Amino acid sequence: MTPLPPAPVPEYTTYRTRVSKWSIIRIARKTYTVPARLKGLEVEVRQYADRLEVYYKDKLMEEMERIHGVGEARIDYRHIIHSLVRKPGAFARYRFRENLFPTQTFRLAYESLCRFRGERADVEYVRILYLAATTMESEVERHYRFSWNQVVLSIILRCVTWPLPWCR
């Protein structure tokens, strides 16, 4: 057996990085978002085996699960929603757009908006995300899940009582 190292293995690795204008930090070739109030500031990030802690002036600002794999991203829509509200057209071209669907219900809401609202779908979906970020995500999700079920039910009932070519 080899002897133990003279000093204990560190519990975490420390990084210093600047937060981008999109509230993004890059740590060990992975992308994370942090609260928008940190934009442009230099933060200290402590990377543990299972989580990251983001500090500004020795104060813990955010704790998040660590992701594994090169090039992976952990995007929290709550961190960037205020920027997207100011420029809702940016949603369509956002590199991490797939990460902006917190649950399957939000994805279904966006897909139905695309079908029924066309070009306005992005703007309206950003409004839904803003509502979820500023209130309770679960309540917004419950509302849209209920509304979606009502729409599907009304289509089914219409098809049963008045058959149309697309109902067959």
Side-chain angles (χ1 to χ4, degrees), residues 54-73:
V54 180
Y55 289 85
Y56 177 66
K57 292 189 175 181
D58 297 324
K59 183 178 177 196
L60 179 64
M61 303 302 285
E62 181 78 10
E63 186 173 342
M64 62 193 81
E65 183 180 333
R66 180 180 172 187
I67 53 176
H68 299 279
V70 176
E72 294 294 318

Side-chain angles (χ1 to χ4, degrees), residues 20-150:
S20 78
K21 67 180 180 177
W22 281 95
S23 301
I24 289 176
I25 58 173
R26 300 252 320 140
I27 302 297
R29 298 188 314 205
K30 295 165 193 69
T31 304
Y32 299 88
T33 56
V34 295
R37 65 183 174 275
L38 298 174
K39 286 181 190 177
L41 301 176
E42 187 172 294
V43 295
E44 176 185 306
V45 180
R46 295 179 184 172
Q47 179 179 316
Y48 293 84
D50 61 340
R51 71 185 188 284
L52 262 62
E53 293 178 349
V54 180
Y55 289 85
Y56 177 66
K57 292 189 175 181
D58 297 324
K59 183 178 177 196
L60 179 64
M61 303 302 285
E62 181 78 10
E63 186 173 342
M64 62 193 81
E65 183 180 333
R66 180 180 172 187
I67 53 176
H68 299 279
V70 176
E72 294 294 318
R74 185 199 162 280
I75 307 298
D76 186 340
Y77 73 92
R78 292 173 196 88
H79 295 154
I80 61 167
I81 191 61
H82 296 288
S83 297
L84 286 174
V85 166
R86 283 192 297 278
K87 295 182 177 183
F91 176 79
R93 298 176 306 281
Y94 189 57
R95 178 179 174 195
F96 302 108
R97 190 175 89 160
E98 291 303 311
N99 298 66
L100 298 180
F101 300 104
T103 66
Q104 186 64 23
T105 302
F106 283 85
R107 180 171 293 287
L108 290 173
Y110 178 69
E111 289 171 1
S112 61
L113 284 170
C114 287
R115 266 194 308 279
F116 298 112
R117 299 294 287 160
E119 294 176 3
R120 298 283 305 158
D122 291 344
V123 173
E124 292 187 20
Y125 181 70
V126 167
R127 288 181 181 162
I128 292 171
L129 275 183
Y130 179 77
L131 183 62
T134 56
T135 60
M136 287 190 64
E137 178 184 307
S138 60
E139 288 299 311
V140 173
E141 179 179 17
R142 188 177 60 78
H143 170 75
Y144 281 97
R145 187 179 303 133
F146 176 76
S147 298
W148 178 252
N149 289 339
Q150 294 294 72

